[in-house]
């Protein structure tokens, strides 16, 4: 193993947070530059025609790589050093064999799903889903005769299997915790369902959108998932300054997804890849502080008279729905808080318009606290009946806690709640 892939020192295993500063990169490649330069190039020169031919054989899966052989650099829609180094770093958090980065979270989700579905196959998905994913399943996949079955809170694998029947199952998509309600779904149960349909010709991947808790507080591959999906725009990017996505899993599944990405052209740019490497260096610091802040803020909000209901994983008690799933598959409560205030849209808007430190904006996982109104913003396009069923009401406000001083966040929320 060469230096850039060192993961232990004299038998001591290094943690991902320590490896984020250098893993996968060698300064000797770039005049000793400590940080990887941005490889702003569309194409890469081959040292010989035979080499070019061999790279393409591997890129298009026309031949399997020899032991230890890896595909060389070809063209930035297929591969680029910034993306490759970043992809290797991302695998460390989730214990994945291979990672792929994309132009957005939606690019990661749609490219991965398109890899596994076909007309008249069924995609099982948990509900509620992020608004964009919901739209893709119900308004885009449906046009290509890909069918969907909803897995909502309280359904067992038997219940879901009864709805799938004997149709071919293309995959199971879990969003847990769900955006915007923090509802949890069991990865082990999804695995049990997928295994009933799995055959040598049909992988039936369990895909988990891990945007809310990952990569720090939930590691789906360890609990039976096959693919982890991210909107890297959120915690991984973490500074509200980029749009990106990621998919992680086994070499075999990721090779199939990589082929789709090459053809759809949904990869991230080298500059975005470089920014994400910068972001990963402080990921553990940021997410830990955000989680600590969220615990303080949630404790404050839980007893506030204007707050009718609160959903924060850190407040789950043994008798609550979701507690067992939380203890089985989550390693921390993260920093996403949903509150249902006393009132409707006008009270919610008065609260939002009174914030002075927190920003009134969609997105989440950033250094600054972000607050939004899902029913009229991120989930505006969701079917009204579905909004009711999943409690995405006009009283719901979603808060993504940042790294500010927690007392300042509380003062801001408190002042705005007084204005309702
Ligand atoms: C934001 C988000 C997405 C979409 O990601 P983009 O980077 O905006 O394309 C998907 N899933 C969840 C849970 C999200 O929060």
């Amino acid at each position: 193993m060469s230096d850039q892939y060192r993961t232990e020192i004299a038998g001591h295993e290094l943690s991902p947070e320590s490896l984020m500063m250098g893993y996968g990169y060698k300064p000797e490649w770039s005049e000793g530059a400590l940080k990887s330069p941005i490889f702003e190039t569309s194409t890469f020169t081959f040292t010989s025609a035979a080499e070019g031919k061999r790279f393409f054989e591997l890129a298009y899966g026309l031949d399997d790589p020899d032991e230890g052989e890896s595909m060389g650099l070809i063209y930035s829609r297929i591969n680029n050093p910034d993306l490759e180094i970043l992809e290797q770093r991302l695998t460390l958090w989730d214990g994945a064999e291979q990672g792929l980065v994309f132009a957005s979270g939606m690019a990661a989700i749609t490219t991965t799903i398109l890899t596994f579905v076909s007309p008249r196959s069924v995609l099982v998905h948990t509900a509620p889903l992020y608004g964009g994913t919901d739209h893709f399943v119900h308004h885009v996949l449906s046009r290509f005769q890909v069918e969907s079955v909803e897995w909502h809170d309280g359904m067992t694998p038997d219940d879901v299997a009864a709805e799938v029947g004997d149709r071919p199952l293309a995959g199971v998509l879990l969003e847990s915790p769900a955006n915007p309600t923090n509802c949890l779904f069991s990865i082990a149960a999804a695995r049990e369902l997928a295994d009933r349909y799995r055959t040598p010709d049909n992988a039936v991947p369990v895909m988990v959108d891990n945007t809310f808790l990952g990569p720090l507080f939930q590691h789906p591959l360890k609990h039976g998932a096959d693919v982890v999906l991210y909107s890297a725009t959120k915690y991984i990017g973490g500074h509200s300054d980029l749009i990106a996505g990621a998919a992680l899993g086994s070499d075999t599944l990721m090779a199939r997804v990589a082929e789709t990405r090459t053809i759809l052209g949904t990869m991230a740019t080298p500059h975005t890849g470089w920014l994400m490497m910068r972001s990963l260096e402080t990921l553990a610091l940021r997410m830990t502080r955000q989680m600590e802040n969220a615990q303080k803020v949630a404790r404050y909000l839980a007893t506030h008279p204007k707050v009718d209901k609160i959903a924060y994983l850190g407040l789950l008690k043994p008798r609550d729905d979701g507690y067992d799933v939380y203890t089985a598959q989550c390693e921390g409560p993260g920093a996403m808080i949903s509150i249902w205030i006393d009132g409707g849209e006008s009270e919610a808007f008065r609260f939002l318009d009174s914030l002075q430190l927190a920003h009134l904006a969609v997105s989440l996982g950033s250094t600054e606290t972000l607050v939004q109104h899902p029913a009229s913003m991120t989930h505006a396009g969701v079917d009204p009946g579905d909004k009711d069923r999943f409690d995405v009401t006009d009283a719901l406000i979603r808060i993504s806690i940042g790294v500010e001083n927690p007392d300042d966040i509380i003062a801001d929320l408190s002042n705005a709640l007084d204005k309702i």
Side-chain angles (χ1 to χ4, degrees), residues 104-107 109 130 133 175 179 209 211-212 231-234 243-245 364 398:
S104 67
M106 284 312 299
I109 292 166
Y130 171 75
T133 313
E175 189 179 293
N179 186 352
D209 182 334
T211 300
F212 267 36
S231 167
T233 311
K234 315 296 170 55
I243 298 277
L364 58 103
R398 194 191 73 187

Side-chain angles (χ1 to χ4, degrees), residues 386-405:
D386 285 351
K387 280 200 233 179
D388 277 353
R389 284 195 300 135
F390 302 125
D391 225 5
V392 182
T393 65
D394 283 335
L396 170 63
I397 288 166
R398 194 191 73 187
I399 309 171
S400 164
I401 300 293
V403 300
E404 303 95 336
N405 182 304

Side-chain angles (χ1 to χ4, degrees), residues 192-257:
E192 194 191 318
L193 174 73
D195 281 347
R196 299 186 192 185
Y197 291 85
R198 196 161 283 181
T199 64
D201 299 331
N202 186 5
V204 196
V206 172
M207 301 166 274
V208 178
D209 182 334
N210 199 32
T211 300
F212 267 36
L213 284 184
L216 219 60
F217 301 123
Q218 182 169 261
H219 300 105
L221 300 181
K222 299 199 171 90
H223 300 279
D226 302 292
V227 179
V228 189
L229 297 165
Y230 286 106
S231 167
T233 311
K234 315 296 170 55
Y235 287 99
I236 294 174
H239 296 73
S240 297
D241 58 5
L242 63 86
I243 298 277
L248 300 134
S250 67
D251 282 329
T252 318
L253 290 180
M254 287 303 109
R256 292 180 58 189
V257 178

Side-chain angles (χ1 to χ4, degrees), residues 286-300 312 334-335 337 367 369 400-410 413:
R286 286 184 282 110
M287 289 192 77
T288 303
R289 171 61 181 258
Q290 285 166 300
M291 184 262 286
E292 289 164 0
N293 281 357
Q295 285 178 317
K296 289 184 187 158
V297 174
R299 276 199 294 274
Y300 166 77
Y312 175 59
I337 301 175
T367 46
T369 296
S400 164
I401 300 293
V403 300
E404 303 95 336
N405 182 304
D407 295 335
D408 297 344
I409 302 171
I410 290 171
L413 296 175

